[in-house]
Amino acid sequence: MVKNCQVMESKITTKDFELRKMVKSFREAIVRTFPLETVRNIGIIAHIDAGKTTVTERILYYSGRTYKIGEVDEGTAVMDWMEQERERGITITAAATLCYWREHRINIIDTPGHVDFTAEVERSLRVLDGGVVVFDAVAGVEAQSETVWRQADKYNVPRICFVNKMDRIGSDFSRTVDMIEERLYSRALPIQLPLGVESLFYGVVDLIERKAWSFSDDPDIPPQEIAIPELEKTKVDEYRQALIERLAEVDDRLMLVYLEGGRIPPNQLKAAIRRLTLTNRVVPVLCGSALRNKGIQPLLDAIVDYLPSPADMPPVRAIDLSTSEDVYYKARDDAPFSALAFKAVSDPYMGRLVYFRVYSGRVRVGQQVLNSTRGEKERIGRLFLMHANHREEIKEVDTGDIAATLGLKRTFTGDTLCNLGKPVLLESIRFPEPVLSVAIEPKTKADRDKLSNTLIKLSEEDPTFKIRYDQETGQTLMSGMGELHLEVLVERMLREFGVGARVGKPQVAYKEAITQPVAVEGKFIRQLGGRGQYGHVCLKLEPGDRGSGIKFFDRVRGGAIPQEFIPAVERGVREALEGGIVAGYPVVDIKITLYDGSFHEVDSSEVAFRTAASIAVKEGLEKAKSILLEPIMKVEVIVPSMFLGDIIGYLNAKRGQVSDIETRGETSIVRSLVPLAETFGYATNLRSLSQGRATYSMEFYYYQELPLELANQIVARVRGEVNA
């Protein structure tokens, strides 16, 4: 019915305004009547260039959401709506949309594959119920495939796999399935087999229904059911039997039927696959070629059949702010309202658009809600269902839906929205720290006024984009996840906000850490007539595990420091750690314990305790033998085997550590760990060493201690003892 309304609306001329308005209102009424069990919130995730956006474009076309297929290579993809995305042919920002299939409503987020934009994947997976992981049938499991898989594991997101590009030379469905098991440690369950190989790929066999389907390159010709080819029947029987056995191994209900020797009908197999997929014990695997319009309809069927609805998910856990105890909300419209804001977008024309996912209850236009993360009241402005950068205005958002709203001025990524009378706090979203910095300055005086406002807007929109003002050099430093990340942000400043800026050379975002525990004391005492200032703290500084960040513990006993001054002490500690004593870089991986101190009944204040804490931390960093840490990147190079020796030699020269070499025919895959400082100009050098035939991917791995000789060079440069 929804699809019919969309078809009607597309055929109405722009002059028939009243009729168009009526059809739109009717369609909105239908949207609101979708039962919760028929809603799917899914993300399309994968390594860069695996075909995520192409898959999404075909899903939208075959479900009737769009009436012309968008192509990434031609810059016409609906989901890649930004100018930079269309120019580069990659996805930069996660785009939301929705479609309808078999009387189900599917909310989709198409995510980026490039590691520089990993925050988009992180925040999308935090609010999604299921995922479709796309793999390149030639490359199989790639570096970023592992990253997004780990992110999905982190949030326990059930998923299905789609092996794309089956029509390409070198495609291998079985090898990709094996790689999913070996490299992603998952129980891959092929529920289809491909018909034809490489350029002769033409269809799939459904192992559950034991049916074969042939697809045409013409997107308007529906799939044709055909007889299973004689040469494939034995293989189909073997794979179907293996599928049943693998399901019976982990599903008790199916095991009973299997042991009794009874025939297992397709509906029982589907029910077992759904049960096991929802608990992440199996991952169904399908195949196709999105660019050639093959295999998309069965993929849509699998999304409906195997991925969860909001009603299938466990109740969402939250902290009741009135009691500080855990509460659990079921996905029901009549439950108290709770939602998580997972994305904020600064639109130069519309204002701030905040995306949110409703976990329980419902919210209407004009309703006042509480931002419990910041303790602020907000009023819901206009509400929208999003279709990439197009907005469809609605009046109400129900449980399980993903929508966007205007009017939330103080709500940011990771904030909880809830009822005023039922304040709760949902688990927020943690993002990786930026690893690369550049200095930025305005080109003209007119740009100077706009630059700071634009930087603030972009940092509110992107949690991995940080801004810092260096007091010593007088420079504004912007930090991000990589060169491409920062390059895109600078382009957006110019195109979207009209701000011209000059950008310096990329600088590695080093960190500092301590190597031994120390106990220190900080006092701040001032008496200038009248009321003075008195703050006294005793701190213990200890090295933390790599990646643990900053941890502050309050161990004061006996009221040595009144409780109201403890937050001021923590603020002073964190402010002092923003710039270390070695080279002024932020201090990380440290545990700070406040264990004693003293106060004055009249002269003590928050300012005094904050200053005392800062004094103590600075002294402690001097005593605790601080060191410099550098970011290490995990690099995967794919190169013809004839150039393998040159590539390994180059990696070794760049302080790289080769961890694994895999050979696939005439191609070698080299996995290594390389310091970020050595990766500038990487792409150009790899091409020159391999006659332009090597490709690589890179992602942040961890921080490790910088060799002393290099650390001394950086310290000397920072202190102006040598030229930069």
Side-chain angles (χ1 to χ4, degrees):
M1 190 179 292
V2 172
K3 187 173 179 180
N4 291 339
C5 286
Q6 290 173 326
V7 173
M8 287 171 59
E9 193 174 354
S10 70
K11 293 180 178 178
I12 298 171
T13 66
T14 53
K15 295 179 182 178
D16 299 326
F17 176 75
E18 290 301 324
L19 184 56
R20 178 181 289 276
K21 187 176 179 181
M22 182 181 69
V23 173
K24 182 178 179 182
S25 299
F26 182 54
R27 178 154 57 88
E28 287 178 359
I30 296 170
V31 168
R32 291 195 294 271
T33 63
F34 269 76
L36 194 61
E37 293 75 16
T38 63
V39 173
R40 301 288 183 270
N41 293 316
I42 67 163
I44 312 292
I45 58 177
H47 183 90
I48 189 171
D49 204 32
K52 296 179 304 302
T53 302
T54 304
V55 169
T56 308
E57 293 293 325
R58 267 55 181 185
I59 286 176
L60 295 177
Y61 181 77
Y62 285 115
S63 63
R65 188 71 169 100
T66 58
Y67 300 95
K68 181 181 178 183
I69 295 179
E71 299 292 359
V72 174
D73 294 340
E74 297 173 5
T76 58
V78 173
M79 303 305 286
D80 285 349
W81 57 271
M82 293 175 63
E83 287 183 42
Q84 294 95 325
E85 291 178 314
R86 293 182 171 179
E87 289 170 0
R88 299 170 189 271
I90 63 171
T91 301
I92 291 172
T93 183
T97 187
L98 74 158
C99 64
Y100 308 93
W101 186 257
R102 281 173 39 192
E103 301 304 320
H104 284 67
R105 174 175 164 182
I106 305 174
N107 297 314
I108 302 172
I109 297 182
D110 177 31
T111 64
H114 197 286
V115 65
D116 282 18
F117 309 106
T118 188
E120 294 288 327
V121 184
E122 186 81 21
R123 60 181 167 193
S124 298
L125 287 172
R126 169 65 180 84
V127 298
L128 292 170
D129 300 326
V132 176
V133 189
V134 182
F135 295 95
D136 184 324
V138 179
V141 176
E142 300 173 88
Q144 190 66 6
S145 306
E146 296 183 53
T147 302
V148 298
W149 196 272
R150 286 196 304 270
Q151 289 172 303
D153 282 339
K154 176 180 174 181
Y155 296 112
N156 293 316
V157 175
R159 67 215 80 149
I160 60 179
C161 298
F162 182 71
V163 181
N164 192 27
K165 304 187 180 183
M166 287 298 302
D167 59 317
R168 286 185 58 200
I169 296 173
S171 61
D172 192 325
F173 179 71
S174 297
R175 186 192 67 217
T176 303
V177 172
D178 291 340
M179 291 177 73
I180 292 171
E181 295 222 327
E182 294 165 7
R183 293 184 60 177
L184 303 179
Y185 309 106
S186 296
R187 185 182 286 265
L189 190 74
I191 59 175
Q192 290 179 349
L193 287 181
L195 290 174
V197 295
E198 299 179 345
S199 60
L200 299 178
F201 171 74
Y202 67 94
V204 299
V205 176
D206 182 342
L207 294 176
I208 299 169
E209 300 279 356
R210 212 176 179 280
K211 294 179 179 179
W213 298 92
S214 172
F215 301 92
S216 169
D217 285 359
D218 186 339
D220 295 322
I221 297 178
Q224 303 294 317
E225 184 179 351
I226 60 173
I228 299 175
E230 288 294 328
L231 295 175
E232 299 288 339
K233 284 184 177 179
T234 302
K235 182 179 179 181
V236 168
D237 290 339
E238 290 175 357
Y239 269 79
R240 192 175 192 278
Q241 184 62 28
L243 181 148
I244 294 172
E245 290 174 359
R246 298 201 73 183
L247 288 173
E249 287 174 7
V250 288
D251 187 83
D252 293 338
R253 288 190 236 177
L254 205 66
M255 172 67 80
L256 293 175
V257 181
Y258 178 73
L259 291 176
E260 291 171 359
R263 178 180 172 275
I264 304 177
N267 64 329
Q268 283 192 25
L269 287 178
K270 286 185 177 182
I273 294 171
R274 180 175 178 78
R275 286 194 298 272
L276 297 173
T277 302
L278 297 189
T279 55
N280 278 313
R281 284 185 286 172
V282 301
V283 183
V285 184
L286 301 89
C287 62
S289 171
L291 189 63
R292 303 296 174 213
N293 309 307
K294 294 177 170 63
I296 302 301
Q297 294 93 332
L299 175 62
L300 278 162
D301 288 335
I303 290 170
V304 168
D305 290 337
Y306 307 125
L307 290 182
S309 72
D312 294 316
M313 303 302 290
V316 62
R317 183 180 71 86
I319 298 173
D320 188 329
L321 295 181
S322 59
T323 63
S324 298
E325 295 180 354
D326 286 353
V327 292
Y328 294 87
Y329 283 171
K330 291 184 178 180
R332 295 201 324 246
D333 288 338
D334 58 356
F337 171 65
S338 66
L340 187 75
F342 66 94
K343 182 173 181 175
V345 178
S346 298
D347 190 305
Y349 307 105
M350 295 283 291
R352 292 187 75 249
L353 194 65
V354 176
Y355 290 71
F356 64 97
R357 156 76 191 264
V358 179
Y359 283 95
S360 62
R362 49 166 55 113
V363 66
R364 293 186 59 82
V365 171
Q367 181 176 332
Q368 194 173 52
V369 298
L370 175 68
N371 180 335
S372 56
T373 306
R374 304 182 186 276
E376 300 273 2
K377 293 180 182 179
E378 296 267 40
R379 189 170 297 280
I380 299 293
R382 298 162 67 189
L383 288 168
F384 303 100
L385 294 177
M386 299 301 297
H387 179 48
N389 62 330
H390 300 289
R391 295 171 283 270
E392 184 176 314
E393 193 158 357
I394 54 175
K395 299 298 182 184
E396 185 177 66
V397 183
D398 298 331
T399 297
D401 282 347
I402 293 173
T405 182
L406 289 170
L408 303 184
K409 298 179 180 178
R410 295 175 295 278
T411 298
F412 304 95
T413 299
D415 287 359
T416 300
L417 301 173
C418 60
N419 279 351
L420 292 173
K422 292 275 188 179
V424 295
L425 191 65
L426 299 172
E427 180 186 356
S428 190
I429 313 171
R430 290 187 62 186
F431 295 99
E433 287 294 315
V435 297
L436 203 66
S437 299
V438 295
I440 185 168
E441 61 181 27
K443 282 186 176 180
T444 66
K445 288 184 179 180
D447 291 324
R448 183 183 305 164
D449 298 331
K450 294 191 290 184
L451 179 61
S452 59
N453 289 333
T454 301
L455 289 173
I456 290 171
K457 286 180 181 178
L458 290 174
S459 65
E460 290 175 352
E461 181 177 323
D462 185 348
T464 58
F465 176 55
K466 305 288 186 184
I467 310 158
R468 181 170 66 90
Y469 182 74
D470 192 317
Q471 296 284 356
E472 293 184 6
T473 63
Q475 290 181 314
T476 299
L477 300 176
M478 47 186 266
S479 304
M481 299 305 296
E483 291 179 85
L484 180 61
H485 185 202
L486 295 175
E487 185 182 322
V488 167
L489 287 168
V490 172
E491 284 184 14
R492 288 190 60 196
M493 288 181 207
L494 178 62
R495 295 184 183 186
E496 293 181 29
F497 299 94
V499 179
R502 283 189 288 268
V503 178
K505 292 182 180 179
Q507 301 290 325
V508 176
Y510 294 102
K511 306 288 186 186
E512 297 185 22
I514 63 173
T515 58
Q516 62 184 40
V518 295
V520 288
E521 187 177 20
K523 284 186 177 181
F524 181 71
I525 304 174
R526 292 287 185 275
Q527 192 68 48
L528 301 173
R531 180 177 175 177
Q533 295 284 354
Y534 183 93
H536 172 217
V537 299
C538 296
L539 301 175
K540 184 176 182 181
L541 281 61
E542 300 173 274
D545 297 331
R546 287 289 168 261
S548 61
I550 299 170
K551 294 186 177 179
F552 177 83
F553 301 97
D554 171 20
R555 297 289 185 266
V556 175
R557 296 292 179 265
I561 299 176
Q563 195 62 37
E564 63 263 28
F565 295 132
I566 302 299
V569 174
E570 183 175 358
R571 282 198 301 274
V573 165
R574 293 186 179 275
E575 287 171 5
L577 294 176
E578 288 178 1
I581 52 93
V582 179
Y585 293 107
V587 181
V588 296
D589 303 341
I590 186 172
K591 293 187 289 185
I592 305 230
T593 304
L594 172 65
Y595 65 90
D596 201 1
S598 62
F599 73 102
H600 189 279
E601 290 285 354
V602 176
D603 292 348
S604 287
S605 66
E606 289 189 1
V607 172
F609 274 101
R610 193 171 75 224
T611 307
S614 180
I615 292 169
V617 169
K618 291 294 184 185
E619 182 182 337
L621 294 177
E622 292 278 3
K623 294 180 178 179
K625 294 185 178 178
S626 294
I627 58 171
L628 280 181
L629 303 176
E630 66 173 340
I632 303 298
M633 311 302 286
K634 185 161 67 172
V635 179
E636 183 175 284
V637 181
I638 303 173
V639 62
S641 298
M642 63 194 317
F643 302 109
L644 180 60
D646 293 333
I647 296 298
I648 291 177
Y650 176 68
L651 291 171
N652 290 333
K654 293 294 184 180
R655 296 194 287 132
Q657 299 177 6
V658 177
S659 57
D660 180 44
I661 300 174
E662 180 183 342
T663 302
R664 298 181 194 163
E666 297 298 318
T667 301
S668 293
I669 301 170
V670 184
R671 300 183 182 91
S672 61
L673 300 176
V674 184
L676 176 63
E678 304 287 349
T679 62
F680 300 131
Y682 221 63
T684 303
N685 292 327
L686 284 178
R687 290 192 195 104
S688 64
L689 288 171
S690 62
Q691 297 178 7
R693 297 169 66 186
T695 60
Y696 81 101
S697 61
M698 179 169 60
E699 63 175 305
F700 171 72
Y701 193 51
Y702 62 83
Y703 272 91
Q704 76 172 20
E705 183 177 350
L706 185 66
L708 183 60
E709 181 182 349
L710 294 174
N712 290 337
Q713 291 177 14
I714 290 169
V715 172
R717 188 179 70 221
V718 169
R719 294 175 180 173
E721 297 170 10
V722 296
N723 293 327

